[in-house]
């Protein structure tokens, strides 16, 4: 039996700023170890909000979440985020060079930086020519998106929450990113929940489909796409 | 200064009210309110100080300092509206800044422990701490919008709230200290500070006035740094929810 990495139940979220609009109510879901989930649904239905809640960047109004068999209240939020890493669709470069950005994880956690692994990840997403001493703020949108992804992958989380991470990429880079994520999934068992509005991409990257619309989450196979 | 001379200073208010009416600035009410309020406040303070300087009672000095801190806390705390317990932290910050600054001045025998020295210099220290706190909180509120991405990126990489907000705190602390530091650089060249001007007008020698002004400037530099760092350390948690997520200040 494959263990569950992350599960949630009775999860509800309302935006109080906009006349108490209910985004979703009483939803439940499970991510098994190494599972490849593509997350679809119309824009503005709360997909990003759900991923941000699962990544502890936002808080649900009610509901339970369990990671690696332990409920949320037994976790230190920082340790939770190291296991469940949210990657935003709008990449934010931190102050400094590309290398400073890549070293962030090792700097934060006083861990050794692995330059060869970082170089491997960069070249896998088509950034082998990227000068590490380049100011990160000067990168193009597509470069930022890939550097931000590599920066998160260096954390080696158990589960990736990917929020339209190829939205600024051309086809070549998009396929490269898909290949890298699926390779890491195969080699290291890193599961993912990947928001995508691209049906072809969804079919390539997903084994299971989450669909969020009208406040409810439904699960299905890729054949429902 | 005679009472007639003091009354004549109202001509300056007449000028500003006149300009406001002429240019339709609509500030007449505010100017008149400010005039009456500042005159009453200063005259009342003058009588209170006159009385305290006469009695030299320690408890009265402490009471006056407590009132100054309370008013400063109220004004600076308003800048952090929406943040829970911000008044408590601002109050603690200003109190600690005052205790350390005054403690050093007294311990090093720079000033004697008399109301004549303790109260005016405390007033300036507390006033400066209030301005620094207000600037710090204002800048933090701005940063909470502009640096949200940076803080959340760091959080998602497993940073602790303290690590995630570190640069934002630094920028806000630096911002809050700029007026004090700029003031130190240009003092005497651009304007003669109020205290020094007051002493000279009241008959003190310029060299004596300058000595006290130097004392004040240096004390301000340390109190500005103390205020911003204490407020940063005490209040940074207020920007995070119970799961360590970055929250908006108005929620």
């Amino acid at each position: 039996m494959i263990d569950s990495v992350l599960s949630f139940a009775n999860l509800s979220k309302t935006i109080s700023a906009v006349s108490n609009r209910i985004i979703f109510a009483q939803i439940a879901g499970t991510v098994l170890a190494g599972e490849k989930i593509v997350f679809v649904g119309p824009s503005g239905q709360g997909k990003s909000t759900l991923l941000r809640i699962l990544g502890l960047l936002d808080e649900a109004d009610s509901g339970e979440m369990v990671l690696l068999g332990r409920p949320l209240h037994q976790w230190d939020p920082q340790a939770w985020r190291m296991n469940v890493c949210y990657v935003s669709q709008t990449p934010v470069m931190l102050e400094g060079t590309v290398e400073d950005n890549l070293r962030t994880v090792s700097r934060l956690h006083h861990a050794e930086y692995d330059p060869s692994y970082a170089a491997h990840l960069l070249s896998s997403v088509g950034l082998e020519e990227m000068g590490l001493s380049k100011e990160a703020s000067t990168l193009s949108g597509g470069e930022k998106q890939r550097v931000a992804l590599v920066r998160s992958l260096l954390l080696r989380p158990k589960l990736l929450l990917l929020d339209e991470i190829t939205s600024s990429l051309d086809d070549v880079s998009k396929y490269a990113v898909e290949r890298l994520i699926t390779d890491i999934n195969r080699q290291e068992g890193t599961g993912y929940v990947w928001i995508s509005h691209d049906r072809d991409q969804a079919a390539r990257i997903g084994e299971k489909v989450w669909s969020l619309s009208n406040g409810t989450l439904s699960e299905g196979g890729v054949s429902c796409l | 200064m005679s009472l007639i001379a003091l009354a004549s200073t109202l001509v300056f208010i007449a000028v500003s009210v006149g300009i406001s009416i002429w240019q339709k600035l609509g500030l007449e009410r505010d100017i008149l309110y400010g005039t009456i309020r500042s005159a009453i406040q200063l005259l009342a303070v003058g009588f209170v100080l006159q009385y305290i300087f006469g009695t030299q009672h320690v408890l009265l000095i402490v009471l006056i300092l407590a009132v100054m801190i309370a008013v400063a806390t109220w004004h600076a705390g308003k800048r952090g509206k929406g943040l829970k317990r911000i008044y408590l932290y601002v109050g603690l910050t200003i109190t600690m800044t005052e205790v350390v600054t005054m403690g050093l001045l007294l311990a090093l025998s720079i000033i004697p422990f008399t109301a004549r020295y303790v109260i005016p210099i405390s007033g300036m220290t507390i006033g400066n701490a209030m301005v620094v706190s207000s600037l710090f909180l204002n800048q933090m509120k701005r940063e909470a919008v502009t640096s949200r991405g940076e803080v959340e990126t760091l959080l998602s990489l497993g940073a602790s709230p303290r690590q995630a907000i570190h640069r934002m705190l630094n920028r806000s602390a630096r911002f809050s200290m700029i007026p004090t530091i700029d003031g130190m650089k240009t003092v005497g060249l651009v304007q003669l500070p109020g205290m020094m001007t007051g002493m000279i007008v009241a008959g003190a020698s310029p060299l004596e006035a300058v000595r006290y002004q130097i004392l004040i400037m240096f004390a301000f530099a340390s109190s500005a740094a103390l205020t911003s760092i204490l407020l940063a350390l005490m209040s940074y948690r207020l920007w995070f929810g119970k799961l360590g997520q970055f929250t908006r200040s108005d929620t």
Side-chain angles (χ1 to χ4, degrees), chain A residues 52 56-59 72 77-78 81-82 84-86 92 94-95 104-105 107-110 151-152 155, chain B residues 148-161 163-164 167 171 241-246 251:
Chain A
R52 284 171 55 84
L56 297 195
L57 293 178
D58 229 324
E59 198 179 356
L72 174 59
Q78 204 183 334
R81 288 190 198 99
M82 288 175 74
V84 183
C85 180
Y86 173 81
V92 175
L94 302 170
E95 220 171 83
T104 307
V105 164
R107 184 171 52 77
L108 289 173
H109 307 297
H110 310 289
R151 188 177 59 191
S152 296
L155 184 65
Chain B
R148 182 170 199 84
E150 173 191 309
V151 175
E152 290 197 333
T153 296
L154 285 162
L155 285 176
S156 67
L157 295 172
S160 64
Q163 286 173 319
R167 278 182 192 276
R171 285 192 294 266
K242 66 174 195 289
L243 297 175
Q245 80 279 22
F246 194 58
T251 54

Side-chain angles (χ1 to χ4, degrees), chain A residues 138-157:
Chain A
T138 63
L139 303 183
S140 72
E143 287 172 330
K144 282 182 184 168
Q145 206 159 33
R146 284 173 287 166
V147 169
L149 174 66
V150 169
R151 188 177 59 191
S152 296
L153 292 175
L154 287 166
L155 184 65
R156 293 175 185 261

Side-chain angles (χ1 to χ4, degrees), chain B residues 226-244:
Chain B
L226 263 175
T227 302
S228 55
I229 205 71
L230 284 173
L231 193 54
L233 289 177
M234 277 196 262
S235 66
Y236 81 88
R237 272 254 159 220
L238 304 180
W239 302 91
F240 295 94
K242 66 174 195 289
L243 297 175

Side-chain angles (χ1 to χ4, degrees), chain B residues 104-143:
Chain B
L104 281 172
L105 287 171
L106 294 171
L108 297 171
S109 301
I110 300 171
I111 58 165
F113 185 64
T114 56
R116 182 172 291 279
Y117 287 90
V118 171
I119 291 178
I121 293 176
S122 291
M124 298 184 83
T125 307
I126 293 166
N128 192 47
M130 173 183 79
V131 172
V132 172
S133 301
S134 295
L135 289 173
F136 177 82
L137 291 174
N138 251 349
Q139 185 62 13
M140 283 294 282
K141 285 209 152 181
R142 265 198 294 259
E143 291 261 350

